[in-house]
Amino acid sequence: MTTPSRAPTTRALIWDLPIRVFHWGFALSAGGALALALTMDDDSSAFAWHMLLGLSACFFLVARLVLAVVGSRHNRWSALLFSPLETARYLVGGLTGRARHYSVHNPGTALVSLLMFALVALLTWTGLRGEAGEDLHAALAYALLGLLVVHLTGLALHTLRHREPIALTMFSGYKKADAASGLASSYRLMGWALALASVFWIAQLISHYDPTLSTVRLPATDITLTLGEGSEESDD
């Protein structure tokens, strides 16, 4: 029986600034939207914040798709794609405590990330369909909640097993990794550009929200969305 590889002792820059901006923006907006959906009645006037946060999460998702094409090597699609066999071996190893250590993404977190991206995209689509997508929207929300629980459980197990506070690496960008896996640059300019674009998007969403009509105009477009029951896309 093979033994798991030991975690490297070298600290290397693995997560550049753009991916860290995406991670926290996506986590806070998608998590906030989910929390409001689970704790607030959809007839409440404050429920519009659930939808505004959902649209913000969609913005970060689009940003992540861009990073998967033009970002650093750790952000590309190739870094997130593992074969079904390798993924299965990793998941079994995680249950038995014999999982291989990965310096960047591991098959488990990659799979959960891809599923989260797909769910947020579907949640946005069903949310904009109003009553027509209400049942599916609710089911997808619970699926996302389940994935979040799986993700947080995996972080806790990794922290305990490897004695590394893995969640904190998304603040500093550094984690235990092979030296060859380290990035030469944190891509600060791209990271700050994404941060500023995110602030602009969210600020414009809020300023273009009309609580009387329950509508919002998407930033830099003529597309106006109706938030709530009977939602549909319209043009000014």
Side-chain angles (χ1 to χ4, degrees), residues 126-136 228-231:
T126 54
L128 294 176
R129 295 188 66 205
E131 291 185 353
E134 186 175 355
D135 292 339
L136 180 56
E229 295 184 358
S231 299

Side-chain angles (χ1 to χ4, degrees), residues 109-143:
T109 57
L111 177 60
V112 169
S113 296
L114 292 173
L115 290 174
M116 282 186 180
F117 298 163
L119 282 175
V120 168
L122 289 171
L123 281 164
T124 302
W125 175 65
T126 54
L128 294 176
R129 295 188 66 205
E131 291 185 353
E134 186 175 355
D135 292 339
L136 180 56
H137 189 75
L140 292 171
Y142 282 109

Side-chain angles (χ1 to χ4, degrees), residues 29 32-34 36-37 40-58 123-124 127-128 130 137 201 205 209 214 216 218 225-231:
S29 54
L34 183 60
L36 288 177
M40 187 175 293
D41 191 282
D42 58 6
D43 292 329
S44 170
S45 59
F47 193 74
W49 285 99
H50 157 72
M51 289 168 274
L52 293 175
L53 284 170
L55 290 172
S56 298
C58 190
L123 281 164
T124 302
L128 294 176
H137 189 75
W201 174 272
L205 269 183
Y209 169 61
S214 292
V216 64
L218 296 184
L225 303 176
T226 301
L227 306 181
E229 295 184 358
S231 299

